[in-house]
Amino acid sequence: MKKFRKVLDGLTTSSPVNIGGAPLCSSTAGTPTAAPTPREIEVVETLVSENFQICKTVRHGFPHQPTALAFDPVQKIIAIGSRTGGVRILGRPGVDCYCQHDSGAAVLQLQFLINEGALVTACADDTLHLWNLRQKRPAILHSLKFNRECITFCHLPFQSKWLYVGTERGNTHIVNIESFVLSGYVIMWNKAIELSTKTHPGPVVHLSDSPRDEGKLLIGFESGTVVQWDLRAKKADFRIYYDEAIHSVSWHHEGKQFMCSHSDGSLTTWSLRNTAKPFQLTFPHGRTQRDGRKPESCKPILKVEYKTTRNSEPFIIFSGGLSYDKANRRPTLTIMHGKSITALEMDHPIVEFLVLCETPYSNEVQEPYAVAVLLEKDFIVVDLTQSNYPIFENPYPMDIHESPVTCTAYFADCPPEIIPVLYSIGAKHKKQGYSHKEWPVSGGTWTLGGQTYPEIIITGHADGSIKFWDASAITLQMLYKLKTSKVFEKPKMGDGRVAELVEEDPFAVQMVSWCPQSRLFCVVGISAHVILYRFSRHDATTEITALEVRLQCDVEEPISPSETEANTGLLDASLHSPQHPPGSPGSATPDSVRDSIPCLRVKNRPIRMPPGYQADLVVQLLWVDGEPPQQITSLHLNSAYSLLALGNCNGLVVVDYLQKNVLLCMSTLELYGSNDPYQRLARSPRKSRQFAAGLTELTDNQVSLELDRSRSPTSDHVNGHCTSPTSQPYGAGRPKLNRRGPSRPPFRKVQSAACMEVSLPAPHTEESRENSFSRSRSSSVSSIDRETKEAVTVLRFMESYARKVDAVPSACLWVGTSLGVVLVIALSIPTDEEERLEEPVTVMPSSTVLTIKGSVLTFGSLDCNGSLVSNPYEVWRDPHAPEDPDCPRRRKLVNFSPSTSQEMSGEGHLAVVCSEKQAKVFLMPAQTCLYVHHITESSFVLRADVVSVYNSVCLACFCANGHVMMLSLPSLRPLLDVNFLPLTDMRIARTFCFTEGGQALYLSSPTEIQRMAYSQDMCDSLQEMLGELFTPVETPEAQKGFLKGFFGGNAQTFDREELFGEAAAGKASRSLAQHIPGQGGLEGMKAAAGGVVGDLARARMAAEERGQRLGELEERTALMMSSADMFSRHAHELMLKYKDKKWYQF
């Protein structure tokens, strides 16, 4: 039980708020302290450190930078390797596992041990790894690192424990899969080729055993040499020399011929009867010459597959091979079936493809039924059983990155009806033309856990689209897609205002705000606009209302009231009308004096909107005196108040979306009035200065030098008119400032931890954009761009106390800034529904000013019992539903006032404020700091949220140094501090978010979402929900019969142990490769064993242990017998030596 003290309202002994910015209660870093007060209140804090644990749960999306692909035809699971050392293993929906090599080396090749529950990975650091897939979290059993040679190709025959490994030097080594040690049997390159050959054949690019005889190994070298090696006789059966380089080789299932793909775009077919020349040479996409000469060369065919069928012609499937004369052609996968040639154009380059066949045996008719194609940014499966080759509908969320993700939001415990509603609306817009067959990758088992609740993930994208995803349990399925670009007219190429502002993505989504209960949705775009959407089950044809807001906060000269009144008509935030203001798109205004125009043009005609989210209101910030508006850095929406607030580095705007008017438009400095905690003076006209991009800041002593001070707020602001000097146009006698130098970008972005923004598209590479995150920050925490004003970093509507003298809570807007200042704005909202539609809402900045160290990140509200006070909201009602005269529709509000959750309404509530450096708990309305906790000194907090977990509440923080922290509330007692995720780029900072119930997510790569859990119960329950990769399945029997053997399809088997075992081949050189035991060995299998598979594994391990003990006992028995026999022999010899000697001869 934790105790904290509070100051009673109205006591004259209450300590005043420290205007200077220092905390009222001092503490050492990391130690919460309480200020002494006359009365104590007891709050039970139930959270303890044991309630928290950090673990990654599941990864969604397409594997970033894929490199390799493998398929188990019996288990029907697929594996994808990536350039960063990751391996994704996929089965039926719900069976999705991510593994990561510690080295981070790229995965070159993958090989399943078919139906054995194991996987071999070959990495770019010349290391082989054996993964155990018989557990929910695969682990490495063995590793083998080659020291002197580089791995180029691997081949594992079906039901074999010997892995063939080809190297860059042209040698072929053999690895025992069970012990993961090298065999002494080596096929040296100089033995494989003829002695008369003067050149090196190049690296090994192909290895495969003959379908007719497993003792014959086909070796393909890059130079064009192909050798069939007799493993028994240790010599070459034949050698093929071809002029063009080889990329791949594929056998016919009878083993009498094989096909090679070459670098000139040709396919050669070779018969074992005559290896002098190919019996067939084709250029599938080459243009035939009229004079009978060789067709012109084409692009290389990187891979070919030769698959046979029982009832039709064989399939020849290959990638590449297009002619050079056709520029800008998309990558193709070509399917040759009989006389037909079909070229399937792909949206992205082909990385790898595999033909899925019915049988795992290479010497049987293959019967291909699908082709799995791994592209650079997509994964598709083509149905070969239909003549038009449709693709299967992919059950995995592989299209998260269809347009680059720019922001994310995570909502847990949503209203249960919202997911079916969104799915039913989104299903109407799904693509058609998919194969009618089921998804062929159907391996593994997955069952839905018992502790699931509705979860929704929202992603915003660079093209202005929004995607809603069902994230319940551990799956991810797209529900609904919304395109915000449909609200605007298509930008014209000659429109300089857009081209100068955002070169490529003018509709990019910067942040979103969603109220699941009222189904209101707000989107902030990079072009300084906010779109409000309402949800409806019915289509509608309506006109979108546009509000244009002029928000600027430069103060160069004092302006007289007469000037203000004379220019008010041009400065008011007004409804969008057909009359174009000066400098609008409809007027011929030069670029140099663009003024009072938005960045994008809203459609001003009735628009038909389908069911779903329908645009209702657009708020746009305007150009001012030739300078574009600054990007919006904060947004909050409250459906109960029908208000919308947005802020940027210039100031704050409050909008009444019910009456569709602007209530407040102020610069940040004007919100203080006479209570400015920093002594900021008006300065001379600003000089244009250049600063490097990245995170910049002002130290505390720089505030007075860099910021202005403007006039106190007037009644005009309250009435919705922006008449501040920040919005005045330039007069005739007033010198115009060049605010933007030639090299200064049109947007000056506040890139503090509180205001992470979407990087504008630039001509430089994606990697440079992602890694533009700068870690250089000084000890001061007021992270604000030196050329911008004090930015509004966080906003929240809540029931609170605007002033110390307030007796009851009322509607308020809390405003946090980049200088660590918290302002409370009082709202007066009519309670009657009819009055609410007609009477104006009064917005009045109060004198309440709280301070904290660092840019403010988040707010939270608790009652005096320590319970979380949720935001009030309006229950959803369909805006376009038919009117019922018997039951008129009325607004239904749900309010969570602090007074409703406690007996004494006069006790107030607790306000939680978290910044980049500190967390504080204030008692309202006394405005007294009860607790303060210094979160970090050397780093800064990127994301903070007040979350509910274990029926209690805590403060969750993610720092730039990778630490995830949990603090109890209200005492701010540290519960967890784990160095979990180092901040490597801006992407993580921009997309990391916590949610209720103990989960969080972030964008781990441009194409993948990583979910994680921070509560112990959630970690345990999500671990149980993970699918099983391996399921016990009987291996199909090989075909038998007289006809099969008669026609030569029967394979000759041989005992590889006799050839490759230590007894016959000896040991390999220790310097050639090093064996590294894995962490997921026998102990890992014991710990992970469960169910039927666990019982079998335990029985097998017990049998092995018994056999091992029996073997040791037998060895000891044999040793004792040998010792006894030796003793008997020595005793007999001794007896013979002294048998005839007398006693005195000794």
Side-chain angles (χ1 to χ4, degrees):
M1 180 176 296
K2 294 293 175 182
K3 297 182 179 181
F4 69 93
R5 302 176 175 89
K6 79 179 194 71
V7 179
L8 292 176
D9 300 344
L11 286 179
T12 58
T13 57
S14 298
S15 300
V17 176
N18 190 345
I19 301 300
L24 289 174
C25 43
S26 61
S27 71
T28 58
T31 305
T33 58
T37 51
R39 181 178 174 182
E40 294 185 0
I41 290 181
E42 296 182 352
V43 173
V44 178
E45 291 187 0
T46 58
L47 293 179
V48 294
S49 298
E50 288 72 19
N51 295 138
F52 297 94
Q53 179 187 351
I54 300 291
C55 69
K56 295 180 181 179
T57 53
V58 66
R59 182 172 292 206
H60 303 296
F62 179 76
H64 185 50
Q65 297 179 330
T67 54
L69 183 68
F71 180 69
D72 188 327
V74 179
Q75 289 289 320
K76 296 194 180 300
I77 58 176
I78 207 159
I80 301 173
S82 70
R83 193 176 300 173
T84 56
V87 179
R88 283 281 291 281
I89 305 173
L90 304 169
R92 66 176 68 248
V95 179
D96 188 340
C97 181
Y98 175 77
C99 312
Q100 176 67 45
H101 294 90
D102 293 336
S103 63
V107 178
L108 300 180
Q109 196 174 354
L110 299 167
Q111 285 280 330
F112 275 107
L113 276 66
I114 296 177
N115 205 27
E116 294 290 335
L119 175 71
V120 175
T121 58
C123 297
D125 59 352
D126 305 313
T127 305
L128 298 173
H129 303 276
L130 177 64
W131 292 82
N132 174 28
L133 306 184
R134 294 178 179 243
Q135 55 195 57
K136 290 186 176 182
R137 292 288 188 183
I140 293 178
L141 296 174
H142 302 282
S143 297
L144 185 67
K145 177 166 180 59
F146 282 73
N147 297 322
R148 295 184 298 184
E149 298 192 51
C150 299
I151 300 172
T152 56
F153 195 86
C154 298
H155 170 63
L156 180 66
F158 179 45
Q159 294 182 327
S160 170
K161 68 175 185 179
W162 298 95
L163 174 72
Y164 301 110
V165 181
T167 67
E168 192 175 23
R169 293 185 179 181
N171 303 324
T172 301
H173 301 274
I174 302 171
V175 178
N176 187 317
I177 291 298
E178 293 181 350
S179 60
F180 236 59
V181 296
L182 276 178
S183 169
Y185 193 111
V186 183
I187 305 174
M188 304 299 292
W189 67 270
N190 54 355
K191 299 291 183 63
I193 64 173
E194 291 181 344
L195 297 177
S196 59
T197 305
K198 297 181 180 180
T199 58
H200 191 278
V204 175
V205 297
H206 177 81
L207 292 169
S208 62
D209 49 345
S210 169
R212 299 182 65 184
D213 187 355
E214 295 177 351
K216 309 286 187 179
L217 183 65
L218 194 70
I219 307 174
F221 297 94
E222 187 181 56
S223 63
T225 302
V226 179
V227 176
Q228 179 166 288
W229 183 264
D230 189 333
L231 295 170
R232 301 182 190 88
K234 299 182 180 180
K235 65 176 183 179
D237 286 344
F238 63 82
R239 299 178 178 90
I240 294 174
Y241 299 97
Y242 195 68
D243 296 335
E244 297 294 336
I246 290 178
H247 286 280
S248 70
V249 181
S250 181
W251 280 99
H252 188 280
H253 81 276
E254 293 179 352
K256 297 179 180 178
Q257 61 186 30
F258 58 88
M259 184 176 293
C260 301
S261 67
H262 300 277
S263 58
D264 62 346
S266 65
L267 294 174
T268 57
T269 308
W270 302 81
S271 173
L272 300 190
R273 295 180 180 178
N274 181 13
T275 58
K277 64 177 181 178
F279 76 84
Q280 187 177 10
L281 170 63
T282 58
F283 286 81
H285 293 291
R287 184 178 301 173
T288 305
Q289 304 291 341
R290 292 183 179 179
D291 53 2
R293 291 183 300 170
K294 179 181 177 181
E296 61 182 6
S297 296
C298 299
K299 297 178 182 178
I301 296 179
L302 302 178
K303 184 176 181 179
V304 64
E305 292 274 11
Y306 190 11
K307 302 298 179 182
T308 54
T309 61
R310 290 186 179 87
N311 302 321
S312 63
E313 296 292 327
F315 282 91
I316 299 174
I317 304 171
F318 60 89
S319 61
L322 298 178
S323 59
Y324 284 104
D325 61 345
K326 296 181 180 179
N328 299 324
R329 284 197 61 179
R330 294 196 289 180
T332 60
L333 180 77
T334 305
I335 302 175
M336 300 173 61
H337 188 213
K339 295 182 179 180
S340 68
I341 301 179
T342 304
L344 304 178
E345 290 190 343
M346 303 296 170
D347 294 331
H348 310 284
I350 298 174
V351 176
E352 175 69 287
F353 74 89
L354 291 175
V355 180
L356 312 187
C357 301
E358 295 289 350
T359 176
Y361 297 94
S362 61
N363 61 336
E364 296 180 357
V365 178
Q366 299 297 290
E367 291 293 341
Y369 59 88
V371 183
V373 187
L374 179 63
L375 308 176
E376 277 192 0
K377 295 186 178 180
D378 202 359
F379 175 68
I380 64 173
V381 180
V382 181
D383 187 356
L384 292 179
T385 62
Q386 301 183 43
S387 58
N388 59 340
Y389 303 127
I391 65 172
F392 291 88
E393 185 175 5
N394 198 326
Y396 316 124
M398 293 290 186
D399 58 345
I400 292 176
H401 63 287
E402 184 179 12
S403 175
V405 178
T406 54
C407 71
T408 58
Y410 194 4
F411 299 88
D413 205 8
C414 301
E417 70 277 1
I418 191 69
I419 290 180
V421 168
L422 288 173
Y423 182 79
S424 62
I425 298 287
K428 299 177 182 178
H429 306 285
K430 279 193 172 182
K431 296 180 181 179
Q432 304 297 325
Y434 291 110
S435 173
H436 62 273
K437 293 190 175 182
E438 293 184 0
W439 180 252
V441 185
S442 57
T445 56
W446 179 72
T447 55
L448 187 64
Q451 299 181 354
T452 60
Y453 48 84
E455 299 176 66
I456 288 181
I457 294 174
I458 300 177
T459 56
H461 300 265
D463 63 352
S465 62
I466 305 285
K467 293 181 180 180
F468 290 77
W469 305 85
D470 178 11
S472 304
I474 59 170
T475 60
L476 192 70
Q477 181 181 11
M478 195 175 80
L479 297 172
Y480 176 72
K481 183 177 180 179
L482 176 66
K483 295 182 179 180
T484 63
S485 59
K486 292 185 176 181
V487 173
F488 304 99
E489 301 285 356
K490 190 174 182 180
K492 297 180 181 179
M493 296 301 295
D495 196 349
R497 57 181 183 151
V498 176
E500 186 180 3
L501 189 65
V502 182
E503 294 181 358
E504 298 178 6
D505 299 315
F507 308 110
V509 178
Q510 197 168 350
M511 66 181 73
V512 296
S513 179
W514 186 47
C515 178
Q517 290 79 13
S518 63
R519 302 185 188 177
L520 286 175
F521 185 56
C522 255
V523 180
V524 174
I526 200 170
S527 297
H529 64 265
V530 177
I531 310 174
L532 174 67
Y533 289 90
R534 292 179 181 270
F535 186 84
S536 176
R537 296 175 181 267
H538 306 85
D539 57 359
T541 302
T542 57
E543 187 170 351
I544 303 171
T545 303
L547 286 176
E548 297 179 348
V549 181
R550 186 180 175 94
L551 183 61
Q552 192 75 10
C553 68
D554 281 334
V555 181
E556 280 84 20
E557 291 181 0
I559 297 179
S560 65
S562 60
E563 286 182 308
T564 302
E565 294 172 2
N567 294 307
T568 300
L570 292 177
L571 303 173
D572 292 349
S574 58
L575 288 172
H576 179 73
S577 60
Q579 292 82 17
H580 299 286
S584 67
S587 60
T589 305
D591 275 357
S592 59
V593 292
R594 281 196 297 269
D595 186 63
S596 298
I597 60 172
C599 300
L600 298 171
R601 186 184 295 113
V602 179
K603 294 179 179 178
N604 57 1
R605 60 183 182 277
I607 303 173
R608 183 189 176 277
M609 302 180 187
Y613 275 103
Q614 301 168 350
D616 182 64
L617 176 68
V618 178
V619 181
Q620 293 178 286
L621 302 185
L622 301 177
W623 285 66
V624 177
D625 303 320
E627 181 163 346
Q630 298 294 322
Q631 292 183 21
I632 296 169
T633 57
S634 56
L635 173 76
H636 198 247
L637 169 75
N638 189 278
S639 58
Y641 304 158
S642 299
L643 297 180
L644 169 68
L646 59 99
N648 65 2
C649 59
N650 283 339
L652 172 67
V653 177
V654 180
V655 177
D656 182 351
Y657 64 79
L658 208 58
Q659 298 183 18
K660 292 183 171 55
N661 60 8
V662 177
L663 303 176
L664 181 72
C665 180
M666 272 190 178
S667 68
T668 315
L669 301 181
E670 293 170 321
L671 294 174
Y672 292 109
S674 60
N675 299 295
D676 190 354
Y678 302 99
Q679 300 303 316
R680 291 173 278 195
L681 302 175
R683 58 170 190 202
S684 58
R686 176 178 54 184
K687 297 179 180 179
S688 179
R689 288 168 299 199
Q690 305 296 329
F691 291 91
L695 290 177
T696 56
E697 64 174 333
L698 291 175
T699 56
D700 292 339
N701 57 356
Q702 291 172 324
V703 173
S704 60
L705 300 177
E706 296 294 332
L707 297 177
D708 301 326
R709 180 178 180 180
S710 65
R711 301 184 310 167
S712 301
T714 64
S715 59
D716 288 334
H717 291 91
V718 179
N719 295 330
H721 300 296
C722 179
T723 59
S724 70
T726 65
S727 303
Q728 301 299 327
Y730 290 100
R734 183 177 175 184
K736 178 176 174 59
L737 295 178
N738 181 16
R739 290 191 178 87
R740 184 156 35 86
S743 62
R744 177 180 168 188
F747 273 139
R748 293 302 302 163
K749 296 183 291 184
V750 181
Q751 293 187 342
S752 70
C755 314
M756 290 303 168
E757 301 207 2
V758 181
S759 300
L760 290 176
H764 45 72
T765 62
E766 178 184 352
E767 293 297 327
S768 62
R769 287 203 307 269
E770 293 293 347
N771 295 323
S772 62
F773 186 81
S774 171
R775 285 171 174 257
S776 58
R777 297 173 62 91
S778 69
S779 59
S780 174
V781 296
S782 53
S783 53
I784 183 171
D785 194 310
R786 299 189 182 201
E787 286 197 57
T788 61
K789 302 299 177 290
E790 182 178 6
V792 177
T793 57
V794 62
L795 296 165
R796 178 169 175 179
F797 292 100
M798 68 170 78
E799 293 284 317
S800 183
Y801 301 84
R803 302 170 183 84
K804 289 184 178 182
V805 297
D806 290 348
V808 293
S810 61
C812 295
L813 173 62
W814 282 58
V815 182
T817 74
S818 55
L819 293 185
V821 179
V822 178
L823 305 168
V824 182
I825 297 176
L827 308 172
S828 177
I829 305 173
T831 55
D832 184 74
E833 182 172 355
E834 294 182 359
E835 293 180 358
R836 179 65 184 85
L837 295 174
E838 298 176 359
E839 296 294 327
V841 175
T842 305
V843 182
M844 177 64 72
S846 68
S847 59
T848 300
V849 178
L850 309 176
T851 58
I852 192 171
K853 185 180 180 182
S855 179
V856 183
L857 298 180
T858 191
F859 296 127
S861 178
L862 309 177
D863 61 23
C864 286
N865 295 322
S867 300
L868 183 66
V869 180
S870 301
N871 291 332
Y873 64 86
E874 176 188 1
V875 178
W876 174 76
R877 55 178 181 170
D878 197 326
H880 300 299
E883 292 287 347
D884 187 357
D886 298 332
C887 183
R889 293 186 299 165
R890 299 185 62 85
R891 296 182 70 200
K892 182 179 179 181
L893 304 181
V894 179
N895 193 16
F896 296 97
S897 174
S899 61
T900 62
S901 60
Q902 53 200 54
E903 297 178 359
M904 299 175 59
S905 61
E907 286 194 355
H909 76 99
L910 304 176
V912 181
V913 183
C914 184
S915 72
E916 292 178 326
K917 293 287 186 177
Q918 285 183 333
K920 287 186 178 182
V921 176
F922 293 92
L923 176 65
M924 303 299 291
Q927 303 177 13
T928 305
C929 175
L930 298 179
Y931 283 91
V932 60
H933 179 79
H934 298 275
I935 300 174
T936 178
E937 292 294 339
S938 59
S939 184
F940 55 96
V941 180
L942 288 168
R943 180 68 185 240
D945 289 291
V946 178
V947 294
S948 296
V949 60
Y950 290 102
N951 296 320
S952 187
V953 62
C954 68
L955 178 64
C957 303
F958 170 58
C959 298
N961 58 8
H963 284 249
V964 176
M965 302 179 183
M966 300 292 156
L967 304 176
S968 69
L969 290 175
S971 66
L972 298 177
R973 174 171 46 91
L975 298 172
L976 179 74
D977 187 354
V978 177
N979 187 4
F980 178 70
L981 181 68
L983 184 65
T984 55
D985 51 48
M986 199 54 186
R987 185 195 321 110
I988 298 175
R990 196 171 58 237
T991 58
F992 194 100
C993 54
F994 295 98
T995 190
E996 311 289 341
Q999 293 194 74
L1001 66 80
Y1002 60 93
L1003 209 64
S1004 58
S1005 73
T1007 62
E1008 295 171 286
I1009 291 176
Q1010 177 68 58
R1011 291 167 67 179
M1012 53 175 279
Y1014 57 85
S1015 76
Q1016 182 66 56
D1017 286 355
M1018 187 59 67
C1019 287
D1020 296 339
S1021 61
L1022 291 179
Q1023 294 296 328
E1024 294 176 0
M1025 291 183 197
L1026 294 177
E1028 295 278 358
L1029 294 173
F1030 179 79
T1031 54
V1033 178
E1034 289 291 336
T1035 303
E1037 295 183 359
Q1039 295 180 2
K1040 297 180 181 180
F1042 169 75
L1043 291 177
K1044 186 173 186 297
F1046 182 78
F1047 287 108
N1050 193 15
Q1052 300 181 24
T1053 60
F1054 78 109
D1055 188 359
R1056 294 184 176 89
E1057 185 69 31
E1058 294 182 357
L1059 290 175
F1060 308 144
E1062 185 177 336
K1067 294 183 178 181
S1069 172
R1070 291 185 177 181
S1071 61
L1072 183 60
Q1074 176 187 0
H1075 176 259
I1076 305 171
Q1079 299 297 324
L1082 200 61
E1083 296 78 5
M1085 293 182 65
K1086 288 179 180 179
V1092 176
V1093 176
D1095 294 338
L1096 293 174
R1098 282 192 292 269
R1100 184 174 180 179
M1101 286 187 291
E1104 291 177 355
E1105 291 173 357
R1106 283 198 301 270
Q1108 186 177 0
R1109 287 196 294 268
L1110 290 174
E1112 293 174 356
L1113 179 61
E1114 185 178 356
E1115 290 178 0
R1116 287 197 298 269
T1117 305
L1119 186 60
M1120 291 175 63
M1121 291 178 62
S1122 175
S1123 177
D1125 183 62
M1126 187 178 298
F1127 178 78
S1128 175
R1129 188 168 57 253
H1130 284 304
H1132 183 68
E1133 292 176 354
L1134 190 62
M1135 182 269 294
L1136 294 177
K1137 181 178 180 180
Y1138 296 103
K1139 181 176 66 172
D1140 297 330
K1141 290 188 178 182
K1142 303 297 181 180
W1143 63 269
Y1144 52 83
Q1145 293 178 330
F1146 288 99

